[in-house]
Amino acid sequence: MGRLISTVEDRPASFPVFQPEARAVSNWRFQAGEALRPTSLALVARYAATEPSFVARCVKLNNYWCIKRARWTGEIGADAEGHTGFATAADGADAAAQLLRRYYRALGRRTALAIVRRWAPAECRIGTGTPLAARGSGPRLSPDLAPRGIGRTLRARFLARHPRGGVPRAAVAARGGQLRIQPWSPLARISGRAHPARAASVAPRPVADGKAAPAARPSGGALLVRPSELLVKPSQVIAKPSVLLVEPSVVLGRSIPAERAAPRARTASAAGLQERFVAESAALPAIVAGLPGLPLLDLSVPAPLCANDETRIRNYATRIAASVGLKVEDDLKLFDAEGRPLPNLRPVMLAMSSVELGSLRASPALVEAAVARLDATSPAALAP
């Protein structure tokens, strides 16, 4: 247990200060041990020699609701994202209670969903972000990582020389010859190769004198399939599709128009097919072609997904509304017409703190004291 005890004193310094390099207030450990729950985790956060992984950044700011800076009472600094660092956890609780009253009364945000949309807004900023083409023409990858560009890195050169599995391309070609072109692929059509089954059906037949007789197409009654694999019924044909190569008129007993029975002449040469493939490739999305406006190797950080933000906001609002038995679109009833806090304010503040801090949450005593101080400053309480 002695290894977990920190060397810091049990009592904080008289004047807490904000430490920008640590993004923390100097007395955050003492404040966490006094004002957070559950107590077991709060004590670990207070006395651990190293910073526990479950401590959120706002815990180190004495800001258990992650409020942004706005010249609050007790504000002594802020981090790079603008989250306020408070001198004590009580100052942070007072600011949260005051901000909720402003949302509810001055801004008219009375539902959990309306409050969260402003308290923890989405970060995607639809329609206001910088277009991709206007991000600048600077390098997409740090020159420290790839001084000669990403195409000249060791990994890129290795992938250019080796296919999947790490075997050199030269070894693959030597072992199996050239890459095999499937008969049904566009490359086979460009090169003029015939399908193996069709080629077998029209192959020349040797004759007695050693000369090859001209190839003949299968007759109307010839079946290019074993009889055992064909079952003909009066109304239908049951066969294996992979081995059934027949003339439809023979099996089905239907005549075929002359224009269909005659072999179709090729309407496009190999050059025509190549032009067609080039035209179809040009119609592909720009990211495939790697155009300058939308580079293929754009390694910049993508914009956040708004769908994820909307899910996060709704989950946050659901936690708040459920703490008082309501729905996200219901009035939370936090303050009355005179601005005095209602009983629902306490559980709502506790739920919000739990969402912001994760494993930790503000103690009920901290919230109760903040609500009491807020009630004392309400217009109804100050009226004579």
Side-chain angles (χ1 to χ4, degrees):
M1 184 64 183
R3 295 181 180 179
L4 296 177
I5 302 299
S6 175
T7 58
V8 298
E9 298 179 358
D10 289 345
R11 301 300 301 176
S14 301
F15 300 100
V17 295
F18 178 72
Q19 302 168 341
E21 64 281 357
R23 301 177 61 182
V25 179
S26 58
N27 66 341
W28 74 267
R29 288 181 178 271
F30 175 79
Q31 293 292 320
E34 296 289 331
L36 289 180
R37 296 294 182 273
T39 306
S40 57
L41 294 182
L43 292 177
V44 172
R46 177 176 179 178
Y47 292 111
T50 58
E51 181 181 313
S53 59
F54 59 82
V55 174
R57 60 179 178 178
C58 291
V59 171
K60 298 185 293 182
L61 298 173
N62 296 333
N63 184 357
Y64 303 154
W65 288 266
C66 292
I67 301 170
K68 297 296 184 70
R69 65 186 311 171
R71 297 182 180 180
W72 300 105
T73 301
E75 179 180 324
I76 59 175
D79 62 6
E81 287 77 20
H83 295 99
T84 306
F86 290 99
T88 63
D91 293 329
D94 291 343
Q98 295 172 18
L99 188 57
L100 280 175
R101 183 168 64 181
R102 181 171 179 268
Y103 277 19
Y104 193 86
R105 301 197 67 209
L107 302 181
R109 295 182 175 269
R110 298 174 177 269
T111 66
L113 195 57
I115 290 175
V116 175
R117 287 194 188 281
R118 187 177 178 94
W119 193 283
E123 299 177 357
C124 58
R125 302 291 191 272
I126 297 179
T128 60
T130 304
L132 184 60
R135 291 184 181 180
S137 57
R140 300 296 181 181
L141 188 66
S142 173
D144 297 333
L145 298 177
R148 299 183 180 180
I150 192 171
R152 301 293 300 275
T153 59
L154 181 62
R155 179 64 175 170
R157 286 182 289 172
F158 176 84
L159 293 176
R161 294 194 304 266
H162 298 75
R164 291 183 178 179
V167 182
R169 295 183 186 274
V172 175
R175 181 179 59 190
Q178 297 182 353
L179 295 179
R180 180 182 179 184
I181 300 177
Q182 301 295 342
W184 54 83
S185 66
L187 293 177
R189 294 199 300 269
I190 292 177
S191 59
R193 299 185 183 183
H195 194 281
R198 298 176 183 174
S201 64
V202 298
R205 296 174 299 176
V207 294
D209 56 1
K211 297 182 180 180
R217 295 187 60 84
S219 62
L223 298 180
L224 303 181
V225 63
R226 292 189 295 271
S228 61
E229 295 173 337
L230 180 63
L231 300 176
V232 180
K233 292 184 178 181
S235 59
Q236 61 181 347
V237 175
I238 303 177
K240 295 182 180 180
S242 60
V243 296
L244 179 59
L245 297 173
V246 299
E247 292 291 339
S249 60
V250 176
V251 179
L252 302 179
R254 290 180 290 184
S255 61
I256 302 178
E259 60 272 10
R260 293 185 56 189
R264 297 182 179 179
R266 292 189 177 182
T267 59
S269 61
L273 288 176
Q274 292 179 357
E275 295 177 358
R276 171 188 167 189
F277 293 148
V278 171
E280 292 178 353
S281 300
L284 294 176
I287 189 172
V288 177
L291 299 180
L294 192 60
L296 179 61
L297 299 176
D298 187 359
L299 301 181
S300 57
V301 178
L305 295 177
C306 297
N308 295 341
D309 267 339
E310 181 63 21
T311 301
R312 174 185 60 83
I313 289 173
R314 287 197 166 271
N315 290 340
Y316 196 159
T318 301
R319 290 278 298 274
I320 295 175
S323 65
V324 289
L326 298 174
K327 298 181 179 180
V328 294
E329 298 289 353
D330 295 338
D331 190 335
L332 293 177
K333 297 181 174 60
L334 302 180
F335 299 91
D336 60 14
E338 297 179 350
R340 306 195 70 168
L342 296 176
N344 282 359
L345 179 60
R346 296 169 181 81
V348 165
M349 290 186 63
L350 290 173
M352 295 179 68
S353 174
S354 177
V355 173
E356 295 288 355
L357 302 185
S359 300
L360 298 168
R361 62 181 183 274
S363 65
L366 178 67
V367 173
E368 186 68 32
V371 172
R373 288 190 293 269
L374 181 67
D375 189 16
T377 60
S378 62
L382 297 175

